[in-house]
Amino acid sequence: MSDVPEVRQPVVTPIRVVIAVCLVAPFVAMLWVGSYAKTDPTFIGIPFFYWYQMLWVLISTALTMTAYQLWQRDQRARKADHTSGGAQR
């Protein structure tokens, strides 16, 4: 056995908070119906209610891709840190 104690990495990190915000933001935006339940302003003849939801499809895609990339980076960093023997403190 090694004399060096194992250093556990924290579960909640700033990067994981950003990932959570990226994934929760579309749900909050779509569940807050009062913010977009109207017809004006229209965009090329499409009522606000519809184009706002379609805009969130694109925004959700971008946020999900961002969250995935951040998760992959976090996992690579944790794996590299784990194989190098943990954080030096």
Side-chain angles (χ1 to χ4, degrees):
M1 284 203 105
S2 174
D3 292 338
V4 179
E6 182 180 332
V7 177
R8 296 187 55 105
Q9 296 176 344
V11 175
V12 178
T13 61
I15 196 77
R16 288 185 174 195
V17 171
V18 172
I19 292 168
V21 169
C22 286
L23 295 176
V24 170
F27 289 103
V28 172
M30 290 293 93
L31 289 175
W32 185 23
V33 179
S35 69
Y36 63 91
K38 53 190 172 185
T39 56
D40 290 327
T42 60
F43 177 69
I44 59 172
I46 301 171
F48 180 73
F49 180 80
Y50 294 111
W51 69 259
Y52 179 81
Q53 290 182 10
M54 293 309 295
L55 179 63
W56 269 101
V57 170
L58 300 174
I59 294 169
S60 297
T61 302
L63 289 173
T64 303
M65 289 183 346
T66 302
Y68 177 75
Q69 293 297 322
L70 291 172
W71 179 258
Q72 292 297 318
R73 189 173 81 180
D74 181 62
Q75 293 304 302
R76 282 192 303 269
R78 285 178 177 269
K79 185 176 181 181
D81 191 39
H82 179 64
T83 58
S84 70
Q88 300 294 326
R89 292 185 183 192

